[in-house]
Amino acid sequence: MAPACQNRPVSESTRASIKVGVIGARGKVGAEVCRGVEEADGLELVAQVDIGDDLGALEAAGTQVAVDFTHPDAVLANLEHCIAHGIHAVVGTTGFDEEKLEAVRRLLDAAPGVGVLVAPNFSIGALLMMRFAELAAPHFESVEIMEMHHPDKADAPSGTSRRTAQLVAAARRAAGLGPVPDATASGLEGARGADVDGIRVHSQRVRGLVAHQEVLLGAPGETLTIRHDSLDRVSFVPGVLAGVRAVADHPGLTVGLEHYLGL
Ligand SMILES: NC(=O)C1=CN([C@@H]2O[C@H](COP(=O)(O)OP(=O)(O)OC[C@H]3O[C@@H](n4cnc5c(N)ncnc54)[C@H](OP(=O)(O)O)[C@@H]3O)[C@@H](O)[C@H]2O)C=CC1
Ligand SMILES: O=C(O)C1=N[C@H](C(=O)O)C[C@H](O)C1
């Protein structure tokens, strides 16, 4: 059970700043988030933690909301710490499968009132790209996803492409569509990408890229391409700040920033 004194509803303190701690603060996205929090009205950056630092710095600084942009192997332990100390969490770190999400739900069962937002992508353009793909999915026989990232990325396929594939697959199922057509019977292993919920996902890692995704849909005589490009990591910051401001009003686990924005 989280200590009640630390499980402060942020909405009660709207006139005071929300105290924010960033985990992964020296990383590519974490550093942008720190800058964004420092410049934002109503937010105060009270803790910056990175690998090797004591997470206890979060509660020592009075952190109300922690933001995590670390590594898929590290994020669950960070969340365990935050939840145990009544700290709400906004999580951008990827690598969440259903088993990991269930582990977060179990941690939250012991800490009523604590909110955790896990969002595979915080950029508004990427959220819309996923929504547009979901809307288009029932109307096309074929669909494949290409995701393109910088080569220092820890995971493949990306969290965004996994989520897009799941949304598209659910939309196809709801519309009564069968499997996507593919007559491939033999060939080089990997040539057809990864199978995520029946949807093919292709991952490219190329120096110079940041984060990009195309959803290619096809029907007889036409194709539709839905593409999003994050050209700079500042694209993630407004969504993170929106998550920080809203997370305390959403106890329990929320997957996807779109649920806070009503998209
Ligand atoms: N949801 C979204 O919108 C987005 C999500 N991401 C995801 O965010 C994550 C981070 O991405 P990115 O910033 O590019 O990665 P970086 O490697 O640049 O940054 C991660 C930082 O976290 C540190 N770190 C690793 N483990 C721990 C730990 N246990 N405790 C504290 N700090 C730790 C790293 O240290 P060290 O380098 O020494 O290992 C590094 O400084 C990835 O999972 C990525 O996919 C990225 C962009 C947008
Ligand atoms: O590692 C990255 O860079 C990114 N990770 C997220 C993902 O895996 O989808 C979001 C964005 O694509 C950038």
Side-chain angles (χ1 to χ4, degrees):
M1 173 78 77
C5 60
Q6 286 177 6
N7 183 8
R8 293 173 287 269
V10 176
S11 52
E12 272 180 18
S13 58
T14 41
R15 262 160 275 115
S17 290
I18 301 171
K19 292 186 189 331
V20 182
V22 176
I23 316 176
R26 289 196 292 271
K28 289 186 284 299
V29 183
E32 288 297 344
V33 171
C34 288
R35 271 191 283 279
V37 171
E38 280 177 321
E39 287 168 10
D41 286 340
L43 306 182
E44 186 187 353
L45 184 64
V46 296
Q48 300 182 55
V49 179
D50 207 278
I51 196 155
D53 296 337
D54 183 356
L55 287 175
L58 294 170
E59 59 271 21
T63 299
Q64 291 166 292
V65 178
V67 176
D68 188 298
F69 279 89
T70 57
H71 190 280
D73 295 342
V75 62
L76 208 49
N78 296 342
L79 276 178
E80 191 169 357
H81 181 95
C82 291
I83 293 168
H85 289 86
I87 299 170
H88 309 286
V90 170
V91 180
T93 307
T94 46
F96 279 87
D97 54 16
E98 197 39 52
E99 195 183 328
K100 236 170 172 174
L101 291 172
E102 196 45 46
V104 178
R105 285 188 197 100
R106 277 197 302 274
L107 291 169
L108 284 166
D109 282 345
V114 174
V116 172
L117 169 65
V118 173
N121 204 310
F122 280 96
S123 103
I124 184 72
L127 290 178
L128 289 169
M129 175 260 298
M130 287 189 263
R131 184 80 185 102
F132 296 156
E134 189 182 10
L135 280 175
H139 305 287
F140 291 84
E141 190 182 346
S142 289
V143 56
E144 303 221 350
I145 298 171
M146 276 61 68
E147 59 97 339
M148 296 138 276
H149 280 83
H150 60 93
D152 302 318
K153 184 165 174 52
D155 55 331
S158 68
T160 307
S161 64
R162 282 176 189 261
R163 174 88 173 147
T164 312
Q166 287 162 356
L167 293 171
V168 161
R172 287 177 64 92
R173 275 194 297 273
L177 292 188
V180 291
D182 179 0
T184 306
S186 63
L188 203 57
E189 198 187 324
R192 294 288 294 115
D195 180 333
V196 181
D197 217 352
I199 308 297
R200 292 285 165 184
V201 179
H202 309 268
S203 299
Q204 298 176 327
R205 298 291 175 262
V206 178
R207 186 68 68 201
L209 295 179
V210 178
H212 318 258
Q213 181 168 301
E214 270 186 25
V215 183
L216 176 59
L217 301 115
E222 64 174 327
T223 62
L224 171 66
T225 304
I226 304 169
R227 180 175 174 118
H228 175 259
D229 298 275
S230 268
L231 305 171
D232 190 299
R233 291 178 178 85
V234 295
S235 59
F236 305 117
V237 174
V240 172
L241 301 185
V244 166
R245 290 191 166 100
V247 65
D249 296 328
H250 296 83
L253 176 65
T254 304
V255 179
L257 180 64
E258 63 274 18
H259 298 294
Y260 285 11
L261 303 182
L263 277 178

